[in-house]
Amino acid sequence: MFRRIGSAVVRHPVWTIVAWLIAAVAIVATAPSLPSTSDESSFLPKSYESIKAADLQEKAFPSAFTPSAIALYQRTDGGKLTAADQQDVARITTELGRKNIDQVQKVVPGQPSEDGRYALTLVQMDSKNAGTPKQADAAKVLREDVKKLAQGTDLEVKLGGSAAQALDQQDSSQRGEALIGIGTFVIILVTLLIIFRAPILAVLPLILIGVVSAIANGLIAYATKLFDLQANSSISSILIVVLFGVGTDYFLFLMFRYRERLRAGDESKQAMVNAVARVGEAIASAAGAVIIAFLALVLSTLGFLKQMGPALAIAVAATLVAGLTLIPAVVSLIGPKVFWPSNSWQQEPENARFAALGRSVQRRPALTAVVSGLVLLVLSLGTFGYKATFDLASGSMPKTKESMVVQDEMQKAYSAGAAAPTDVYLSSTDGESLDKSAFDAYAQKLGAVDGVASARMTQVNKEGTTADFTVTLQYEASTDKAIDAVSRVRDVAHSDAPEGTEALVGGMSSIYKDIDTAVNHDYRTVFPVAALLIMVILGLLLRSVVAPWYLIASVGLGFGATLGATVWIFQDGAGHSGLMFMLPVIMYLFVVAIGTDYNILMIARLREEAREGREPREAASMAIKHAGPTVAAAGVILAATFATMMLAGNSLLTEMGFAVSFGITIAAFVMSMFFTPSLTALIGHAAWWPGHGDRAEPTADAGAGTARMTSGAEREAAANDPAGRRR
């Protein structure tokens, strides 16, 4: 099949390129805009308690005041607010309310801090647009206006709250995307120049993947709208790295094999056909493993991950098609001039270092397997210290952003949970009015829960069927202590609800609690499904039921080593309270799926060498010698491109960038270079049971009348020579 694809593309390269360009223009011109939100509650399905509570709040208290933005005032000299300062705060609050800013529904004064040094203005916005660009735009206007109104006073004012966080997150995301894009571009360009010493080859993948990126983003926008998926600003940064990192990997897989065929004496166009035929199956299998692993995310309960899975799968699928059609078409047009001005491609390199590595694996496969396995096991020990953190807003932007400064200052000036209180909604089950005489006792029970600073009944709906109890926790909403406390609040709220009533607990800490539950569900569902599907891909590629088991075990160890190292560096080393809650899921899929690429490339080459008549240990040695440079180059580029995410300046992308780049390094330089070949060499022919895919094929020798074994190169030459002559 892959030979037919290669032949068709090479015969019609211009039409192939034109088809891609037409598709790019059509898709980009007609694709809808990609929506985005930073509202954590939108990540959860309606079945979770925190979402039920939010829906009840909208029905029972449609005009309830929930601040989306908070203006925090303090004196420029840091002292207590004077009477004149308080008058200025009141004036600013009043004038801000008169401006009729889009999305702003109500502006009211807040409570001053107990130490008298801080005052607040609370701004309510349309809850239907929470976390959207509309509210970010409104926050920008609010921030500018409140600072203008404070000019000429002794007050310093900062704007925080969820709307301001959406604005700062948007700005941080744009800056991060720019840095990631530039870093990715530079790394790929420089690395390819070092590898090939050919400017055309260095620039070509960037141009071609740029076309693929435009098409992929358009297709993702279509899918997002068609299936009503949830978009998030962080996906754009991840897409850049996936498209350019994976695209460059497939480009390298193809170009290394194209160069090898040219050195073997193939004519230029036939060399490309043979390259696609030889490496096409490995690229397709590698991409298939990645696509299936990403699609496993649709089983997630989190909207953010549900959208990320199909988006990344679409990106990789587009890259796969480009790797088998667009890249071969363009390179076949250029021919060997693509390597200009270097002439080194004409000589077969000794690959001395990789040959030496191969010989060491051949001589001591057991020692190699044990040592590399122990490295992975030791690093995996760090996973036992893993803790999750759920504050996506502060995790996706630097602490120096204004909204983050407000959040930190409010935690010091007020009760840590005051900025995001928990609400307990008590409703009658029979539609009758609630017994108000039970409110005080119920509030006292809620207030007595460990971790609660205060609890009071704040409002009853006009029908008298639902009461809102505001519970202020002692801890900031996203901390582990707050999540544990809200779990205890739920227990008391449910068990001690008066007869004939039921309680629902809402608020940010309740949302984080449900996200924690959802993520744990995803660990139990997504991980095994993704692993099983990748094993199926490996089994189909290798025609074996043995090899997939130890291959998936090796990438599982790679995942454990990656998570353990990330815990040690960021939690124990940098002092982070925990890692972002979705990191293990993303890390698992990237490290297991993309890391499997290198295992597939290495094991496919090992099988190819075995089919040429070599015994398992020698085949492992030759596979490392020939595939090692490709894996090393691809691993360095992909790890470096993911590492550019650390330039974004926020903890989420910093942790993600390190974890995935480290995991890919482990996959390329430990798993595929040592662990997998050494295990395959040790297991021997049994690794390919029941298909015996490593056995050479006997062919009849017309001259001698005897059976002989032909090498892969000989079979390929014979297939291309009508007379059956060797080249």
Side-chain angles (χ1 to χ4, degrees):
M1 182 181 76
F2 295 103
R3 179 173 294 281
R4 289 196 296 271
I5 292 173
S7 296
V9 168
V10 170
R11 280 200 308 269
H12 307 289
V14 175
W15 286 113
T16 303
I17 296 167
V18 169
W20 269 93
L21 292 177
I22 291 173
V25 172
I27 291 172
V28 171
T30 59
S33 60
L34 188 64
S36 181
T37 179
S38 59
D39 180 19
E40 285 93 338
S41 64
S42 65
F43 298 166
L44 291 167
K46 300 293 185 182
S47 58
Y48 282 85
E49 182 171 351
S50 59
I51 307 304
K52 290 181 179 178
D55 291 342
L56 176 61
Q57 182 261 319
E58 287 187 10
K59 294 175 184 176
F61 308 103
S63 59
F65 188 89
T66 304
S68 299
I70 302 170
L72 180 68
Y73 305 89
Q74 66 181 125
R75 284 185 60 83
T76 54
D77 60 10
K80 289 187 177 182
L81 298 176
T82 65
D85 294 331
Q86 292 170 353
Q87 289 178 357
D88 285 331
V89 171
R91 173 185 59 79
I92 293 170
T93 302
T94 302
E95 293 186 20
L96 204 59
R98 290 173 180 167
K99 287 185 174 289
N100 296 318
I101 299 170
D102 180 46
Q103 297 293 308
V104 173
Q105 296 176 330
K106 192 182 295 183
V107 182
V108 300
Q111 292 291 325
S113 63
E114 291 185 4
D115 60 9
R117 295 173 57 214
Y118 294 90
L120 302 173
T121 293
L122 307 178
V123 181
Q124 178 177 284
M125 296 186 186
D126 186 353
S127 61
K128 295 179 182 178
N129 294 321
T132 63
K134 283 186 177 180
Q135 290 205 354
D137 294 340
K140 185 176 182 180
V141 175
L142 274 170
R143 184 172 282 171
E144 292 171 353
D145 287 350
V146 76
K147 290 182 186 296
K148 287 178 183 176
L149 291 171
Q151 288 178 357
T153 70
D154 294 325
L155 296 172
E156 179 186 8
V157 59
K158 302 183 188 75
L159 191 76
S162 60
Q165 288 176 354
L167 172 63
D168 290 342
Q169 188 175 355
Q170 186 181 86
D171 293 342
S172 180
S173 177
Q174 291 172 350
R175 174 181 174 274
E177 282 181 33
L179 288 171
I180 289 169
I182 294 169
T184 299
F185 185 92
V186 170
I187 285 168
I188 293 174
L189 186 66
V190 172
T191 309
L192 289 178
L193 277 172
I194 293 171
I195 293 172
F196 293 107
R197 302 179 183 86
I200 297 175
L201 263 182
V203 174
L204 191 60
L206 297 172
I207 297 172
L208 298 182
I209 297 167
V211 174
V212 176
S213 176
I215 292 175
N217 276 291
L219 293 175
I220 289 165
Y222 274 121
T224 300
K225 185 175 182 179
L226 181 64
F227 298 105
D228 193 27
L229 299 172
Q230 183 64 59
N232 182 273
S233 55
S234 297
I235 291 177
S236 298
S237 302
I238 299 170
L239 271 176
I240 292 171
V241 177
V242 169
L243 281 163
F244 282 88
V246 174
T248 305
D249 263 12
Y250 298 162
F251 180 82
L252 284 172
F253 291 176
L254 188 65
M255 292 311 300
F256 269 92
R257 187 51 72 100
Y258 175 60
R259 186 175 65 178
E260 185 178 321
R261 294 314 311 155
L262 287 174
R263 287 169 175 162
D266 290 356
E267 180 271 331
S268 174
K269 291 187 179 297
Q270 191 60 51
M272 180 55 71
V273 174
N274 291 340
V276 174
R278 281 298 188 90
V279 83
E281 186 179 20
I283 291 177
S285 300
V290 177
I291 290 168
I292 284 177
F294 286 159
L295 285 178
L297 282 176
V298 300
L299 300 174
S300 170
T301 50
L302 294 175
F304 168 66
L305 293 177
K306 273 181 178 289
Q307 196 272 346
M308 177 183 284
L312 296 179
I314 289 169
V316 175
T319 308
L320 167 63
V321 176
L324 297 178
T325 59
L326 181 60
I327 294 173
V330 173
V331 174
S332 68
L333 274 180
I334 301 172
K337 292 179 181 178
V338 75
F339 297 104
W340 178 88
S342 174
N343 292 318
S344 60
W345 65 271
Q346 297 175 354
Q347 290 84 39
E348 181 74 30
E350 294 181 2
N351 287 340
R353 294 179 182 177
F354 293 98
L357 289 177
R359 287 193 298 271
S360 68
V361 171
Q362 180 180 357
R363 288 194 301 267
R364 303 181 185 86
L367 179 62
T368 304
V370 170
V371 171
S372 55
L374 280 176
V375 169
L376 298 175
L377 278 173
V378 169
L379 289 173
S380 298
L381 295 176
T383 58
F384 293 106
Y386 167 73
K387 294 180 181 178
T389 183
F390 298 89
D391 189 358
L392 190 60
S394 63
S396 58
M397 70 184 97
K399 294 291 186 182
T400 53
K401 285 289 185 181
E402 187 170 324
S403 58
M404 292 294 96
V405 173
V406 171
Q407 179 175 292
D408 291 342
E409 290 185 352
M410 283 194 66
Q411 289 178 30
K412 298 172 185 175
Y414 297 82
S415 170
T422 295
D423 290 287
V424 177
Y425 298 103
L426 190 68
S427 301
S428 64
T429 54
D430 55 9
E432 298 294 326
S433 296
L434 294 168
D435 179 9
K436 296 183 180 180
S437 64
F439 287 175
D440 288 343
Y442 189 62
Q444 287 177 2
K445 289 177 181 177
L446 293 174
V449 174
D450 182 28
V452 171
S454 64
R456 59 191 177 91
M457 199 285 292
T458 51
Q459 56 184 331
V460 179
N461 68 339
K462 60 182 180 180
E463 294 84 6
T465 56
T466 301
D468 178 9
F469 293 79
T470 299
V471 177
T472 303
L473 303 178
Q474 297 174 356
Y475 317 107
E476 195 275 319
S478 65
T479 60
D480 290 340
K481 290 183 177 180
I483 293 169
D484 291 341
V486 86
S487 182
R488 293 190 291 270
V489 168
R490 282 184 176 182
D491 291 340
V492 172
H494 297 157
S495 62
D496 291 340
E499 188 176 350
T501 68
E502 63 178 2
L504 291 173
V505 181
M508 289 309 303
S509 293
S510 184
I511 289 172
Y512 292 137
K513 171 62 181 174
D514 286 341
I515 289 177
D516 187 28
T517 302
V519 170
N520 288 331
H521 165 272
D522 291 349
Y523 291 162
R524 296 189 300 270
T525 306
V526 176
F527 283 18
V529 169
L532 180 62
L533 292 175
I534 291 173
M535 284 183 66
V536 170
I537 290 285
L538 292 170
L540 292 174
L541 168 67
L542 303 174
R543 283 80 167 174
S544 166
V545 296
V546 176
W549 285 99
Y550 66 82
L551 290 176
I552 204 68
S554 73
V555 292
L557 279 173
F559 165 76
T562 302
L563 181 58
T566 307
V567 167
W568 279 337
I569 287 175
F570 287 96
Q571 286 185 199
D572 300 336
H576 290 196
S577 59
L579 303 179
M580 290 306 297
F581 66 91
M582 80 279 282
L583 185 63
V585 175
I586 294 171
M587 186 193 308
Y588 176 86
L589 292 169
F590 277 94
V591 173
V592 171
I594 297 179
T596 303
D597 282 9
Y598 305 131
N599 261 349
I600 287 175
L601 188 69
M602 185 62 73
I603 202 75
R605 186 62 189 239
L606 194 153
R607 181 183 61 179
E608 185 177 325
E609 297 294 337
R611 282 176 171 176
E612 294 185 1
R614 295 184 174 92
E615 287 302 309
R617 294 193 180 195
E618 185 187 2
S621 173
M622 296 303 293
I624 293 171
K625 176 183 177 181
H626 292 297
T630 310
V631 170
V636 166
I637 290 178
L638 193 58
T641 51
F642 272 102
T644 60
M645 297 172 74
M646 299 173 70
L647 300 173
N650 64 69
S651 59
L652 170 61
L653 291 179
T654 299
E655 291 172 1
M656 192 183 301
F658 169 81
V660 178
S661 61
F662 183 85
I664 287 168
T665 302
I666 288 289
F669 294 98
V670 179
M671 285 158 39
S672 66
M673 206 78 75
F674 295 104
F675 195 64
T676 297
S678 60
L679 276 180
T680 307
L682 278 174
I683 297 171
H685 295 298
W688 308 96
W689 184 87
H692 303 297
D694 64 328
R695 303 290 183 170
E697 299 174 5
T699 62
D701 188 317
T706 58
R708 69 176 176 86
M709 309 299 286
T710 57
S711 72
E714 290 169 337
R715 290 195 305 273
E716 189 171 84
N720 297 323
D721 189 338
R725 296 184 302 270
R726 288 187 61 182
R727 291 178 179 267

